[in-house]
Amino acid sequence: MLLQVDGRFDLAIALGILAASDQIDRQLLAGYEFLGELALTGELRGVDGALPAAIAAAEQGRTLVVAASNGAEAALARHADVRVARTLLDVCSALQGRTLPRAMPAPATPLAVPDLRDVRGQQQARRALEVAAAGGHHLLLLGTPGCDKTLLASRLPGVLPDATEAEALETATIASCSGAGIDTARWRHRPYRAPHHTASAVALVGGGTHPRPGEISLAHNGVLFLDELPEWSRHTLEVLREPLESGTVMVARAARTHAFPSRFQLVAAMNPCPCGWAGDRSGRCRCSSESIQRYRGRISGPLLDRIDLHVQVPRLEPRELRSDAPCGEDSASVRSRVVAARTIQLQRSGKPNAQLLPSELDAHCQLESKDQQLLEAAVEQLQLSARSMHRILRMARTVADLASCDQITTAHLAEAIGYRQVDRGGAG
């Protein structure tokens, strides 16, 4: 019977055999961890998971030896002692006294991100994007084909606050384990993932015979963009429910259960009907009300309930697209307000507003009596759930933070209520 052994342990197994046969002193192995696949020539090959291995070795106070191709990745763990080798002979020589070179991280390379200045008009959608970025809220863009929904979504990473080193390291660790690889020169940038709507549930949330993280985990601490939302398999979309709430996805197998981090910010886009033109001023839509309802019904109410902002993106007038038409505000200006609002949130509760627990809303989202009545009237008229009401409160808190206001006012609350387009029938 043949046993399949993970290639990443080849180097450690080879050294164990050499020590067991007294070809090297086993005491020399103390204080080291070894990671790498061995070719028949004795050359070391890179493997997945070098970064988490380096982090674990540093926590145990041990030196990690990896293949040269894994050096830059493992060196992202700044407190780890990582050494690189090219062959098994190099490792054996080092154990006899020769020093292996230390792994060095790749120099940081600035990432050119798309600028919000490229988006003409669309003031409401631009404002919604700013609110979503400031509070970490999920966003749904509804509009006719070619009305800049994808353009808007791709500009979100450029207005988000920088990832902290801990966040970036966590995201890079997931990428290392997934086999997707790490761009070691740009690892500090927040990820932006945009899988195609034909992706399977396993590709989206993770899994497989040997479970690996999916797209939602690769988007951890970043943005997940789902275009053509009703075209996705309903089963695939439904598995997003738990991660949207908890920030973790559980992949259960017979032998064990794997938990993958998935604290992503969802941006989704959809057309208002099968032909895409319902509600357009051209009047070209010929879809029946039944077909529109079936189209919208591909997205379940519980999933829509978990998306904070539902925003219409109308078709622009031709004059707004002229080369001499005024450009919108650039990403740097919007980002400065987003960073200021996010700083307020972190100082107040240690987390973005979108992550506030229901028990924390009473402390951070207090309303005056007349505003409480306005909220209750909106919940009753729109037949909103308790979850939707809590999301409105979180959005109102974010709007107030963008205005540097300690108290949520009627204007802040009214703006937050206005972002529930689907609850008001805006998709059809």
Side-chain angles (χ1 to χ4, degrees):
M1 178 179 178
L2 295 178
L3 295 177
Q4 291 185 343
V5 181
D6 195 326
R8 75 188 66 190
F9 302 122
D10 284 358
L11 176 59
I13 292 172
L15 291 171
I17 293 173
L18 292 174
S21 59
D22 294 326
Q23 297 183 63
I24 60 173
D25 186 352
R26 68 185 63 191
Q27 298 300 322
L28 298 175
L29 302 178
Y32 285 94
E33 296 289 343
F34 302 94
L35 187 71
E37 182 178 351
L38 276 178
L40 293 178
T41 60
E43 180 183 3
L44 284 180
R45 295 172 177 169
V47 296
D48 296 338
L51 178 55
I55 295 173
E59 292 174 350
Q60 298 298 321
R62 301 170 73 85
T63 298
L64 176 66
V65 178
V66 297
S69 57
N70 281 142
E73 175 187 327
L76 297 180
R78 294 194 303 169
H79 303 296
D81 183 8
V82 181
R83 306 288 172 159
V84 296
R86 297 192 176 278
T87 65
L88 175 61
L89 182 60
D90 289 343
V91 178
C92 293
S93 297
L95 293 174
Q96 300 295 334
R98 177 186 168 192
T99 302
L100 287 173
R102 183 182 293 273
M104 300 299 294
T109 302
L111 179 64
V113 294
D115 199 292
L116 196 55
R117 184 181 179 85
D118 300 333
V119 181
R120 304 293 180 94
Q122 306 295 3
Q123 296 305 315
Q124 183 188 26
R126 290 171 62 94
R127 171 64 175 177
L129 200 72
E130 181 176 341
V131 173
H137 304 288
H138 305 307
L139 172 65
L140 173 63
L141 301 170
L142 307 101
T144 56
C147 65
D148 293 345
K149 301 186 295 294
T150 301
L151 195 70
L152 282 160
S154 66
R155 269 62 186 168
L156 180 57
V159 298
L160 288 173
D162 287 337
T164 65
E165 183 173 349
E167 288 175 333
L169 201 58
E170 189 175 31
T171 304
T173 298
I174 296 171
S176 177
C177 294
S178 71
I182 302 173
D183 185 345
T184 55
R186 297 178 176 179
W187 69 285
R188 289 298 300 265
H189 298 280
R190 292 187 183 275
Y192 177 82
R193 307 290 299 187
H196 193 262
H197 65 261
T198 56
S200 67
V202 171
L204 190 63
V205 302
T209 305
H210 301 287
R212 287 177 176 267
E215 289 289 338
I216 64 174
S217 294
L218 295 174
H220 184 60
N221 293 320
V223 177
L224 177 71
F225 176 51
L226 301 184
D227 200 5
E228 306 293 348
L229 193 63
E231 303 300 332
W232 284 77
S233 159
R234 180 160 180 154
H235 167 68
T236 300
L237 291 179
E238 289 306 292
V239 297
L240 291 177
R241 288 196 200 177
E242 178 189 346
L244 284 172
E245 292 283 351
S246 65
T248 303
V249 60
M250 307 295 293
V251 179
R253 292 294 179 266
R256 66 187 66 182
T257 298
H258 301 264
F260 297 129
S262 55
R263 181 71 69 184
F264 58 92
Q265 188 168 354
L266 174 65
V267 181
M270 63 178 286
N271 296 329
C273 69
C275 79
W277 297 102
D280 187 71
R281 58 183 177 274
S282 66
R284 74 183 79 178
C285 177
R286 294 296 182 266
C287 297
S288 66
S289 59
E290 290 80 7
S291 66
I292 292 177
Q293 282 301 111
R294 284 196 300 271
Y295 182 75
R296 292 178 57 187
R298 297 176 187 176
I299 309 169
S300 70
L303 179 60
L304 284 175
D305 213 27
R306 288 167 165 82
I307 302 178
D308 306 78
L309 296 91
H310 309 153
V311 181
Q312 289 276 16
V313 185
R315 183 165 60 91
L316 297 177
E317 296 284 354
R319 64 175 181 274
E320 296 180 87
L321 300 174
R322 293 170 50 178
S323 59
D324 58 351
C327 295
E329 195 175 17
D330 63 8
S331 293
S333 301
V334 176
R335 185 176 180 277
S336 64
R337 296 194 295 270
V338 168
V339 171
R342 185 68 70 90
T343 300
I344 292 173
Q345 297 165 40
L346 296 179
Q347 291 175 346
R348 180 176 57 232
S349 60
K351 65 182 75 171
N353 288 333
Q355 298 177 23
L356 289 175
L357 301 174
S359 59
E360 298 173 307
L361 297 180
D362 291 338
H364 304 309
C365 302
Q366 294 181 348
L367 301 177
E368 294 185 0
S369 177
K370 60 183 179 64
D371 295 328
Q372 184 64 39
Q373 293 175 8
L374 171 62
L375 176 60
E376 292 173 1
V379 170
E380 180 63 26
Q381 181 177 352
L382 300 175
Q383 294 297 294
L384 302 180
S385 66
R387 180 187 290 116
S388 292
M389 185 178 72
H390 292 160
R391 292 187 180 278
I392 289 174
L393 283 172
R394 295 185 185 105
M395 285 189 289
R397 180 66 267 172
T398 299
V399 174
D401 290 337
L402 283 167
S404 299
C405 292
D406 295 332
Q407 180 67 30
I408 297 175
T409 67
T410 304
H412 304 146
L413 181 61
E415 181 177 348
I417 294 173
Y419 288 131
R420 302 299 298 192
Q421 289 275 9
V422 170
D423 297 316
R424 295 191 284 116

